Amino acid sequence: MTTLATDAAPSHTFAPDTPPPERTDRRVALASLAGTTIEFYDYFIYGTAAALVFNKVFFPNLSPTMGAVAALATLAVVFVFRPLGSAVFGHIGDRLGRKRTLVLTLTLMGLCTVGVGVMPGAATIGWVAPVLLVLFRAAQGFAVGGEWAGAALFASENAADGRRGRLTMYPQLGACVAFVLASLTFLVVNLSIGETSDAFVTWGWRVPFLLSAGLIAVGLYVRLHTSETPVFARARSRGETTRAPFLEVWRRQTRTMLLAIGVTTGIFGAMTVGSVYLTTYATTTLHLGMSTILLIDVLAAAAACVTTVLASVWSDRIGRRGLVLASCIGLAAWSLVLFPLMNVGTPLAVGTAVVVLLALIGLAYGPLGAYLPEMFATRCRYTGAGVSYNLGGVAGGAVILLIAAPLSATWGGVGLGLYMTAMLLVSIGCLVALPETYRRPLS
C-alpha cells in the first residue's frame, strides 16, 4: 500500500531522484522552455495588443476608457478558464503522464494564438468579432492551465539531486524570454509602420500572433522527441497513481493548496501590473511614446531574466522559500513607490520603476518552478501544482486586470500600488506558514 504526502513537514534529506544517464539536461531544458515561452509570448502580445489596438478593432463603439477596460477584460478571461484547464489536464497528467499532456496543451494553445491573429475585426463581422475573441481566449486559458505545471514537473522530475532549482529555471525563464520577444516584435512593427497608422490597426498587430507558429512548431518537435519523466514512470510502474487526483490533493493536502494559492496571488498580481497594465498606463496616462515604453519593457524583461536565473541557481544552495519571501517583501515595499516614481513622467523614472519591479518579480518567480512541485506527492503533483498556480493567477492576475483602470482613475496610481502591497502581504503570510522544500525528495 502506498502513502500520499500530507501537510506534515518533510524530512530534509535527498532521495535518489537522479534520472537515467541517457537523459540530458539540454533536451529537458529546451522542452520545458519551449512551452512556457509560447504560453507567455501569447499572454504578452495579447496584453500589448489589448493596450494598443483591441479597443479600436473589436470594441469601436465604446469610449476609449471603456474600450480599454473591455479589451483588458478579454485578457482576464484566460485566468478564469486556467483553473479548469489545470484540473482537467492535471488529471490527464497524473493519470497518463506528463509528456502526452504537454503535447496536448501546446497544440491547443498554439492553434488559438494563430486563430486570434487571423480573425476579422468588428468592422467586418460586427458583434461576432468580440464573441470569437472571447471564445479563443477561453480555449487558450483552458490549455494554458495545464501548460505551466507540466513544464515545471517535466523539469523537476528529470532533475538530478540538488539541481531541481537549476533545471526548473527553464520553464520559469520562458516568461522572461517571451516578454523580450513580444516587446521586440511589437517594437519592430511599431518602428516599421507606426503605432497610429492604419496599417498597424488593420494588420500590423497581427504579425506577432502569426509569428508564434514558428515557436509552436519548434516546441512540438522537441516535446515529441522526449520521454516520460523517470519519477512518474517509477510511480506508474509501482501502481502509485490515483483515479481522482483533484479530489485526493484537496482532501490530503488542503492546507498546502490554500497556502500555495496565497503565495502565487501576490506574485501574479505584481507580474500582471508590470507586464501588461503599465504599458497602458504609460501610454494613456503619462503619454509616453509606444517605442519608448516597449524599449523599457525589453530592458525590464532582460533584468527579470537575470534575476530568474540567479534565484533559481541560488535556491539549490540556500533554499526556495527564503528567496521568494525576500522578493515578496521587496515587491510590497516597491509597490508603494512604483506609481509616484512613474508619475515623474520621464523615460528614466518610468524605466527605473518598471525595471526594478520586473527584477524583483524574477527573484520570486525563478524558485517557484521547483518550490510548488516539491509541495505535492507524485500521484497528484501535476494537479496540485497546476491548480494552486492557476487559482493564484485568478486571485492575483485576473482581478487586478479588471480593477486596475477604474482604481487608477478614481484614486490614481497610488491606489493600485496599495492594492498590490496588500496582495503581497497575503503572499508573505502564506510563505511564513509554509516549510522549506529544497531537500524534499520527489519520489
Side-chain angles (χ1 to χ4, degrees), residues 14 164 315-317 319-320 374 436-440:
F14 284 120
R164 283 198 293 270
S315 73
D316 280 333
R317 302 174 184 174
R320 330 279 190 213
E374 287 169 348
E436 179 55 78
T437 63
Y438 80 113
R439 291 185 183 274
R440 177 178 290 189

Side-chain angles (χ1 to χ4, degrees), residues 40-132:
F40 280 96
Y41 176 80
D42 164 72
Y43 175 72
F44 292 137
I45 60 175
Y46 190 96
T48 304
L52 294 179
V53 297
F54 276 9
N55 59 329
K56 303 172 186 176
V57 176
F58 297 104
F59 306 99
N61 296 323
L62 299 179
S63 67
T65 300
M66 291 308 300
V69 171
L72 291 176
T74 63
L75 181 59
V77 169
V78 168
F79 290 103
V80 175
F81 281 85
R82 281 172 67 159
L84 177 60
S86 65
V88 173
F89 287 114
H91 179 88
I92 297 171
D94 283 327
R95 290 283 294 157
L96 302 180
R98 318 320 192 190
K99 175 187 171 178
R100 295 181 186 180
T101 313
L102 283 171
V103 171
L104 286 174
T105 58
L106 184 59
T107 302
L108 178 57
M109 191 167 57
L111 290 174
C112 291
T113 303
V114 175
V116 172
V118 300
M119 66 177 292
T124 304
I125 57 175
W127 62 268
V128 178
V131 172
L132 283 177

